[in-house]
Amino acid sequence: MSEKKVIFSGVKPTGEPTLGNYLGAIKNWVALQDEYECYYCIVDLHAITVPQEPKDLRRRSLEVLAQYIASGIEPEKNTLFFQSHVSAHAELAWVLDCISYMGQLGRMTQYKEKSQKGEENLNAGLFTYPVLMAADILLYQADLVPVGDDQKQHLELARDLAIRFNNRYSETFKVPDIYVSKFGSRIMGLQNPLSKMSKSGDDENDYILLIEDNDTTVRKIKRAVTDSIGLVKYSDEQPGIKNLITIYSKLSGESIEEIESKYEGQGYGKFKTDLSEVVVEGLKPVREKFADLMKNKDYLEKIYTEGAKQAEYVANKTLRKVYKKVGFIPR
Ligand code: TYM
């Protein structure tokens, strides 16, 4: 058995991953891969809580796997797999559904936002989604879950469910800790810097995709909303510029102070031009490697097949324990 602590995290393939997913989550995973035993999943079961075109979902799921690897997550060191390949996720979710309170699920911000928008497809999956997420994490006895700021509430639920189950049936699950980077765990939209950059947004100028043409990225940065103050300053009064400085700093490694003093007395034009270069250069290796990987589907298949085997072994061990504790007759 490995002595390393365990990490679980995932991205749902509902749309193309954005710079928000990359800076808020994937980039941190890369940094953690040596120290931890990591399970990085493509959470396709979660994706169908909103309507999906089957062939697009298939393509995107594979692309997300390629983007993990292209971002620097090494398949030799980590377990990379599709959630739907390990049936224990759905099975544990059912058991956890049965100890989840409707009231608590109804208070989940993401659900509330979607239901308040009056979406047509307000299905039961969308409501119980955070329980499936808890199952994902608890199956692997994860110590740590590196996510962006928007997933904090879901993580709290996962912790609650672990504690509730342990209290009711005796110690079974590790209670996971959340890992959110201190800075840049919420990348905001380029057009609306008051709400998070999201792949489900309608305005394509609001987000930068991890994989897109460099020219498109440059154009979107040029169009990013700023303000009339005219100072490159990290301030709440300037949410657009604050967000762009965050992106600049996360990708260049330069501190906020360094960036502020570099652009003192200069307009937004020069700052945006330089930021475009920082983003394009920062994402260049990811974009190049992604293109190569997508030409080698056999390699990707080998990775996810092997990944599912490893994940299944660990997940089934936890599931067997759970089934026994709740009173199911062992096979
Ligand atoms: P998802 O697919 O929406 O996002 C994947 C990861 O990216 C982070 N993220 C962001 N971080 C910073 N700024 C942003 N604008 C931004 N947008 C997204 C998210 O916080 C997340 O870490 N429910 C999850 C997927 C999931 C999961 C899990 C995560 C399912 N099971 C178990 C961890 C553990 C989700 O929808 O993430």
Side-chain angles (χ1 to χ4, degrees):
M1 265 300 270
S2 157
E3 313 248 303
K4 286 182 174 173
K5 290 197 164 181
V6 175
I7 275 182
F8 182 96
S9 202
V11 170
K12 72 181 179 316
T14 40
E16 321 285 334
T18 66
L19 188 63
N21 297 127
Y22 179 68
L23 295 180
I26 302 173
K27 202 161 175 280
N28 290 335
W29 304 355
V30 177
L32 294 162
Q33 66 183 338
D34 288 317
E35 206 185 321
Y36 290 84
E37 183 184 336
C38 304
Y39 295 84
Y40 293 132
C41 185
I42 295 98
V43 289
D44 48 4
L45 296 178
H46 279 92
I48 61 164
T49 53
V50 290
Q52 298 292 329
E53 184 64 46
K55 72 174 184 340
D56 291 341
L57 178 59
R58 243 183 319 268
R59 175 183 51 80
R60 246 186 274 114
S61 298
L62 199 66
E63 285 175 358
V64 173
L65 172 68
Q67 292 182 32
Y68 284 1
I69 302 168
S71 300
I73 295 170
E74 296 175 39
E76 300 77 23
K77 283 188 191 156
N78 306 284
T79 303
L80 308 181
F81 67 105
F82 295 113
Q83 188 185 25
S84 62
H85 288 186
V86 180
S87 58
H89 289 250
E91 293 177 80
L92 179 61
W94 174 252
V95 176
L96 296 178
D97 272 338
C98 296
I99 62 161
S100 296
Y101 303 133
M102 308 269 286
Q104 191 174 15
L105 296 185
R107 285 193 296 278
M108 294 289 128
T109 317
Q110 291 202 349
Y111 171 77
K112 278 205 313 208
E113 277 172 4
K114 288 218 163 91
S115 55
Q116 277 160 5
K117 265 197 228 151
E119 282 193 23
E120 283 167 33
N121 186 292
L122 214 53
N123 58 66
L126 206 58
F127 186 65
T128 56
Y129 162 114
V131 182
L132 176 60
M133 180 163 159
D136 299 340
I137 298 164
L138 302 184
L139 273 176
Y140 299 90
Q141 305 290 353
D143 296 277
L144 203 63
V145 185
V147 283
D149 178 75
D150 61 324
Q151 296 298 319
K152 268 186 183 161
Q153 198 187 20
H154 292 162
L155 250 294
E156 277 308 316
L157 179 82
R159 288 171 56 86
D160 280 357
L161 290 175
I163 293 167
R164 194 174 304 153
F165 189 97
N166 288 348
N167 286 342
R168 199 169 293 184
Y169 297 104
S170 83
E171 201 61 28
T172 308
F173 295 122
K174 181 133 333 138
V175 181
D177 284 325
I178 180 169
Y179 177 101
V180 180
S181 56
K182 283 193 199 79
F183 169 67
S185 64
R186 194 176 188 85
I187 301 297
M188 311 308 274
L190 299 183
Q191 290 301 315
N192 179 6
L194 296 177
S195 70
K196 73 164 181 176
M197 183 183 283
S198 154
K199 54 197 164 197
S200 56
D202 297 329
D203 180 356
E204 65 159 29
N205 285 317
D206 200 44
Y207 52 79
I208 291 171
L209 296 178
L210 187 49
I211 303 301
E212 65 183 15
D213 280 355
N214 291 339
D215 291 349
T216 307
T217 302
V218 172
R219 178 172 47 80
K220 289 175 179 174
I221 293 175
K222 205 175 267 170
R223 290 192 185 164
V225 165
T226 53
D227 52 63
S228 55
I229 297 175
L231 300 173
V232 180
K233 231 173 155 305
Y234 189 80
S235 139
D236 288 340
E237 266 119 75
Q238 299 170 259
I241 285 294
K242 183 179 174 193
N243 187 44
L244 297 182
I245 294 178
T246 305
I247 295 172
Y248 193 122
S249 171
K250 291 282 278 190
L251 280 169
S252 68
E254 291 172 44
S255 71
I256 292 168
E257 298 72 36
E258 278 170 323
I259 296 165
E260 282 178 342
S261 70
K262 195 157 137 187
Y263 294 98
E264 207 180 320
Q266 304 201 45
Y268 293 151
K270 166 84 172 119
F271 172 63
K272 279 185 168 182
T273 306
D274 289 359
L275 173 64
S276 298
E277 200 177 309
V278 165
V279 175
V280 166
E281 280 306 305
L283 297 183
K284 194 170 164 197
V286 183
R287 290 177 172 174
E288 285 176 359
K289 188 148 187 223
F290 172 77
D292 281 348
L293 284 163
M294 287 310 288
K295 287 186 212 134
N296 198 347
K297 303 253 165 65
D298 289 349
Y299 171 69
L300 294 175
E301 186 179 337
K302 218 174 103 215
I303 287 163
Y304 69 69
T305 309
E306 189 51 42
K309 258 193 235 154
Q310 288 172 19
E312 196 166 42
Y313 176 79
V314 178
N316 283 344
K317 221 157 88 179
T318 302
L319 187 69
R320 275 197 302 275
K321 235 193 245 176
V322 168
Y323 274 10
K324 195 164 160 216
K325 296 215 179 177
V326 300
F328 298 155
I329 293 178
R331 319 204 304 187

